[in-house]
Amino acid sequence: MRFGLKISFFKFMFICVLQLLSTGIAVASTVNITGVYSSLNLHQESGDVIGIELIISESYSGKYFVSFQASEGAPRIPVVSELTVHENEITFQVKEENGYQGSFQGTVSQNELKGSFVEGQLSPSGDQMIVLPRTQSYWQ
């Protein structure tokens, strides 16, 4: 009987380990935040470039960075900032006066990035919430 209890205990432990591993795999397969998120487009009538483009990349150190570029007529100089990532939520600072300035908080999904500036700055279309589809760069 004692031998049977040991086998049952080992079966139980084996099932627990498998469960933990499968949960770990599910957690590890969260949304990949790196990529291009852009609403930049050419206004056909005026020839102006309108929108925002974010490019999120990861460095060799495991830190994430974002290149932020806005345009309301003529594209502004891109600003590179360190990105704070927690699962699919991101935060970064735009420190330079470049049309936008302050803290941006957003959420990344498979298809888009949604977020806003804490200070309440509006998107080029006048919305509080900035929605950028995951796409190719305007510059490609």
Side-chain angles (χ1 to χ4, degrees):
M1 175 145 173
R2 211 170 180 166
F3 182 73
L5 284 175
K6 281 186 180 180
I7 291 176
S8 295
F9 176 75
F10 285 116
K11 283 183 183 178
F12 173 76
M13 291 302 292
F14 180 74
I15 291 170
C16 288
V17 168
L18 284 178
Q19 185 66 30
L20 286 172
L21 288 175
S22 67
T23 303
I25 291 169
V27 170
S29 65
T30 59
V31 174
N32 180 12
I33 65 158
T34 58
V36 178
Y37 305 88
S38 183
S39 66
L40 284 181
N41 65 79
L42 181 65
H43 189 270
Q44 293 301 318
E45 292 177 20
S46 68
D48 291 344
V49 177
I50 308 290
I52 295 174
E53 182 163 290
L54 298 179
I55 301 173
I56 298 175
S57 58
E58 185 177 8
S59 71
Y60 69 92
S61 66
K63 292 182 179 182
Y64 290 91
F65 291 86
V66 61
S67 170
F68 175 88
Q69 185 174 31
S71 182
E72 294 177 6
R76 297 195 172 122
I77 298 170
V79 177
V80 177
S81 301
E82 188 170 343
L83 189 70
T84 301
V85 177
H86 179 69
E87 295 179 2
N88 67 331
E89 296 176 1
I90 64 166
T91 305
F92 65 91
Q93 297 284 327
V94 177
K95 297 180 181 178
E96 298 178 23
E97 186 65 43
N98 198 11
Y100 288 85
Q101 187 173 0
S103 179
F104 181 89
Q105 296 176 339
T107 304
V108 176
S109 70
Q110 277 300 65
N111 301 317
E112 64 188 9
L113 183 151
K114 286 184 182 180
S116 61
F117 281 91
V118 175
E119 292 76 14
Q121 294 173 340
L122 303 179
S123 72
S125 61
D127 298 321
Q128 177 74 34
M129 182 63 64
I130 296 170
V131 180
L132 304 173
R134 187 187 292 255
T135 186
Q136 289 188 337
S137 174
Y138 170 80
W139 304 107
Q140 289 180 309

